[in-house]
């Protein structure tokens, strides 16, 4: 009797091709479309209906069962509330990491296991490798599409039950398989942006849920006001676009280098190599280890502080409060509180922590991150 796999189908090409591969491997496949967001909240911008239509077309073409499961409440409670709270606290969260942790590899997994599934499957670019001491999360073959960054907070239960069918192949090959099988999603554009915001205007979306107040934009070099910001929630460290202060000073671009929530000040600096943009270490809270046991400290490894960033050599130290201190081998630009520091040992993702503090290379800029 073939093993039963519940596949998360998003209406995209990656999960569609995952269905093809699973079928070819002899699995009994059922597709589930996760409904995580209420379209009524969306001002007509939600693509859920179109995505579900694409799931239906692909499932019909491959002759597999499919249906929708509603995780809206769990998503609101575990992901969206966290997203809003982080912005209120002046941080820049990564809700896609939290969605994987709480929804796709927890709520969805629990649901699938109640249906007596042997495995769940997702169209992520990642791999799982079983060794004697546990299940390891491994980078995808296509390094340009690798998504282990977003999977860095899922543990042994999920990994032991998860298949990533496209982790071993290049994205171009995924497109080829979709075309060969005449799938409706073969030429569909990859989705971008935060899962529940998608292609919409991010600032308008934030304004709908959070109060934002205009305030002073201050030059870090002389403490003078040189503009007005539209609310601190609309800016993130290292941001260049949307400041509206071109033509001032040397003519070089301006960048966000800090926020003061209490005084509602946005600090900016001129020049893309300005020292205020750089830090030498960070504190990571809520460290999570893929093998669910701590590594030996101090830990020498590499890290990414945002998706698509090149690996940075670091040393990780455990602190008395359970948090970790991450010291970089060289200064790093625009490390942002609320984002995720993800740790790697070669091809293996070993864990992550939420960035809670950053340490500037110059002591005089410490106030920017207090």
């Amino acid at each position: 009797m073939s093993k039963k796999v519940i596949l998360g189908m998003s209406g995209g090409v990656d999960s569609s091709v995952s269905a093809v591969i699973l079928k070819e491997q002899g699995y009994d496949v059922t597709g589930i479309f996760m409904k995580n967001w209420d379209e009524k909240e969306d001002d007509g911008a939600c693509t859920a209906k179109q995505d579900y239509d694409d799931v239906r077309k692909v499932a019909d073409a491959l002759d597999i069962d499919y249906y929708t499961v509603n995780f809206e409440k769990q998503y609101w409670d575990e992901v969206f509330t966290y997203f809003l709270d982080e912005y209120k606290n002046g941080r820049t969260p990564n809700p896609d990491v939290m969605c994987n942790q709480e929804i796709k590899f927890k709520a969805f997994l629990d649901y699938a296991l109640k249906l007596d599934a042997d495995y769940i499957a997702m169209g992520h670019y990642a791999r799982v490798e079983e060794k004697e001491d546990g299940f390891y999360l491994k980078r995808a073959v296509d390094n340009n599409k690798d998504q282990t960054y977003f999977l860095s907070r899922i543990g042994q239960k999920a990994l032991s039950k998860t298949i990533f069918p496209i982790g071993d192949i290049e994205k171009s090959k995924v497109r080829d398989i979709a075309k060969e099988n005449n799938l409706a999603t073969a030429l569909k554009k990859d989705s971008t942006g935060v899962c529940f915001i998608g292609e919409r205007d991010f600032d308008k979306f934030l304004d709908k849920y959070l109060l934002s107040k205009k305030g002073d934009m201050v030059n870090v070099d002389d403490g003078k006001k040189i503009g007005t910001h539209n609310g601190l929630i609309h800016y993130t460290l290292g941001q260049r676009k949307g400041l509206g202060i071109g033509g001032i000073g040397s003519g070089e671009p301006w960048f966000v280098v800090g926020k003061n929530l209490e005084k509602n000040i946005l600090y900016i600096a001129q020049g893309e190599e300005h020292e205020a943009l750089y830090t030498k270490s960070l504190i990571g809270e809520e460290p999570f280890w893929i093998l669910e046991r701590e590594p030996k400290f101090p830990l020498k490894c590499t890290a990414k502080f945002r998706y698509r960033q090149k690996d940075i050599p670091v040393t990780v130290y455990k602190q008395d409060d359970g948090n970790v201190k991450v010291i970089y081998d060289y200064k790093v630009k625009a490390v942002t509180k609320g984002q995720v520091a993800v740790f790697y040992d070669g091809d293996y993702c070993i864990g992550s922590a939420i960035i809670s503090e950053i340490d500037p290379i110059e002591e005089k800029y410490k106030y920017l991150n207090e």
Side-chain angles (χ1 to χ4, degrees):
M1 189 174 170
S2 56
K3 298 271 190 181
K4 184 176 180 181
V5 176
I6 304 289
L7 168 66
M9 295 187 74
S10 64
V13 67
D14 295 330
S15 57
S16 301
V17 169
S18 294
V20 173
I21 293 170
L22 290 167
K23 274 204 76 177
E24 287 175 350
Q25 291 173 343
Y27 290 105
D28 173 13
V29 184
T30 298
I32 289 186
F33 180 76
M34 281 177 266
K35 193 166 184 294
N36 296 333
W37 190 251
D38 183 356
E39 292 105 304
K40 293 193 292 292
E41 299 285 343
D42 273 330
D43 301 327
C46 190
T47 62
K49 187 179 182 306
Q50 176 62 53
D51 290 337
Y52 183 68
D53 284 345
D54 288 335
V55 168
R56 176 180 54 77
K57 289 172 188 172
V58 169
D60 286 345
L62 298 176
D63 192 26
I64 62 172
D65 291 334
Y66 64 95
Y67 52 97
T68 299
V69 177
N70 191 312
F71 291 116
E72 284 173 19
K73 185 182 186 306
Q74 294 98 316
Y75 196 92
W76 185 279
D77 291 346
E78 303 295 338
V79 181
F80 191 61
T81 302
Y82 151 82
F83 170 84
L84 294 181
D85 286 345
E86 287 286 272
Y87 269 104
K88 284 178 196 169
N89 291 323
R91 310 205 315 185
T92 304
N94 196 312
D96 291 337
V97 173
M98 197 59 63
C99 177
N100 283 329
Q101 182 180 344
E102 298 295 335
I103 308 300
K104 292 180 181 174
F105 295 90
K106 190 173 180 183
F108 180 89
L109 172 64
D110 290 343
Y111 182 86
L113 294 177
K114 284 176 186 170
L115 298 177
D116 295 324
D118 294 291
Y119 299 101
I120 62 168
M122 296 286 176
H124 288 86
Y125 287 86
R127 292 178 286 175
V128 178
E129 185 177 319
E130 184 180 3
K131 296 187 180 184
E132 282 185 10
D133 60 341
F135 292 85
Y136 285 69
L137 177 63
K138 197 174 180 182
R139 298 189 215 240
V141 165
D142 189 336
N143 198 47
N144 192 46
K145 297 298 291 184
D146 175 64
Q147 291 174 296
T148 52
Y149 181 92
F150 300 110
L151 300 166
S152 61
R153 298 183 74 76
I154 66 171
Q156 291 296 289
K157 178 184 174 183
L159 289 176
S160 71
K161 292 289 183 181
T162 299
I163 300 170
F164 295 118
I166 61 172
D168 289 313
I169 57 180
E170 301 279 339
K171 177 73 180 198
S172 57
K173 177 67 175 168
V174 170
R175 290 279 181 196
D176 290 343
I177 293 171
K179 290 171 190 170
E180 287 162 14
N181 287 270
N182 297 313
L183 299 184
T185 54
L187 300 176
K188 188 174 182 179
K189 194 175 83 164
D190 289 344
S191 60
T192 59
V194 174
C195 38
F196 52 84
I197 298 175
E199 310 289 342
R200 270 171 296 159
D201 185 307
F202 193 82
D203 286 338
K204 280 184 184 174
F205 183 88
L206 283 179
D207 279 333
K208 182 176 176 183
Y209 292 97
L210 295 172
L211 288 173
S212 61
K213 196 169 88 176
K214 292 189 176 187
D216 292 346
M217 209 180 274
V218 172
N219 183 348
V220 292
D221 289 324
D222 58 17
K224 291 180 180 175
K225 175 184 173 180
I226 55 169
T228 302
H229 68 74
N230 293 317
L232 294 178
I233 60 172
H234 297 304
Y235 303 88
T236 188
L237 241 61
Q239 182 175 328
R240 172 181 172 176
K241 292 181 179 175
L243 299 184
I245 47 171
I248 298 175
S250 66
E252 290 181 279
W254 291 83
F255 295 86
V256 173
V257 293
K259 302 178 185 181
N260 184 313
L261 288 183
E262 203 177 308
K263 297 178 181 176
N264 195 27
I265 293 172
L266 186 74
Y267 292 105
I268 57 174
Q270 190 163 30
E272 53 188 306
E273 294 303 317
H274 196 288
E275 286 185 331
L277 280 165
Y278 286 91
T279 56
K280 59 187 178 183
S281 64
L282 64 83
I283 301 296
E285 61 188 13
E286 299 175 40
F288 179 91
W289 306 105
I290 298 288
L291 290 174
E292 296 181 10
R293 58 179 181 270
E294 285 187 347
K296 283 184 180 175
F297 295 104
L299 170 67
K300 281 205 164 289
C301 61
T302 62
K304 290 178 188 285
F305 307 133
R306 60 180 177 272
Y307 183 49
R308 293 197 181 285
Q309 185 178 44
K310 283 185 178 177
D311 282 42
I312 295 153
V314 299
T315 306
V316 183
Y317 296 87
K318 184 181 177 182
Q319 298 196 302
D320 291 341
D321 59 6
N323 292 336
V324 291
K325 178 156 187 162
V326 182
I327 299 177
Y328 336 140
D329 281 18
Y330 48 81
K331 65 181 183 179
V332 180
K333 190 176 183 179
V335 178
T336 305
K337 290 191 280 188
Q339 287 289 295
V340 184
V342 179
F343 309 117
Y344 290 89
D345 178 7
D347 267 350
Y348 298 99
C349 176
I350 53 180
S352 65
I354 312 298
I355 300 168
S356 60
E357 295 176 41
I358 48 179
D359 193 17
I361 57 171
E362 291 286 342
E363 198 69 24
K364 64 181 177 180
Y365 295 123
K366 209 156 181 71
Y367 72 94
L368 294 175
N369 304 302
E370 289 173 347

